[in-house]
Amino acid sequence: MSVSPKPASSVIVRRGGKFLLVRRANPPAQAMYAFPGGKAEAGETAEQAAIRELAEETGLAANRADLFAVYDLIDRDDSGQITSFYRLSVFLADVEDDVVAVAADDADDLGWYALGEIRTMNVPTSVLECAEKLG
């Protein structure tokens, strides 16, 4: 049986050498730190979903976002059956430097973290890979 991926997007925002990460309040990746993001809504492009999720989870506004990477995130149960499958489009976006990010929606905390800190945190592999590529 073939399982189609569900579209999801996340956004990388950097300030002063640090990355904005939110702590997920809900599955998937509950209690992990990740770039702001989530599932696309019906009719949204990946970029639109990224910009919307950034605003919902942090209050930050981006006028545009540039595609940086795409990941297939597949979870399986003990028998090997797929339990979830998301195609995650990761974007880079710039936001106003003077706007303060505030955790909201399904983000229960957020912060700005340097790459060295991210390496020690509970983050999805995709987050660490992107942060290391951008250094």
Side-chain angles (χ1 to χ4, degrees):
M1 179 177 98
S2 177
V3 177
S4 296
K6 297 174 188 164
S9 296
S10 66
V11 184
I12 300 170
V13 177
R14 295 182 292 174
R15 281 187 184 162
K18 294 188 175 190
F19 297 88
L20 176 63
L21 299 181
V22 298
R23 187 174 61 208
R24 299 259 161 245
N26 303 306
Q30 184 173 12
M32 295 180 87
Y33 280 85
F35 300 123
K39 301 173 202 166
E41 295 179 353
E44 274 185 323
T45 66
E47 181 184 11
Q48 289 167 335
I51 291 170
R52 176 186 51 78
E53 286 286 345
L54 177 65
E56 287 177 1
E57 293 184 358
T58 70
L60 298 177
N63 291 324
R64 63 175 263 241
D66 298 312
L67 186 62
F68 178 72
V70 177
Y71 290 90
D72 283 340
L73 306 177
I74 303 171
D75 291 324
R76 297 177 186 273
D77 63 18
D78 293 338
S79 69
Q81 294 290 91
I82 294 174
T83 56
S84 73
F85 181 7
Y86 289 95
R87 176 141 308 130
L88 178 67
S89 299
V90 182
F91 290 83
L92 288 169
D94 293 322
V95 298
E96 299 279 331
D97 283 338
D98 58 347
V99 179
V100 176
V102 177
D105 196 36
D106 66 344
D108 64 10
D109 190 21
L110 62 72
W112 297 89
Y113 301 96
L115 177 57
E117 294 171 296
I118 293 171
R119 287 182 176 133
T120 68
M121 297 170 69
N122 183 21
V123 298
T125 303
S126 60
V127 169
L128 182 56
E129 285 179 7
C130 288
E132 287 182 335
K133 285 178 186 175
L134 292 166

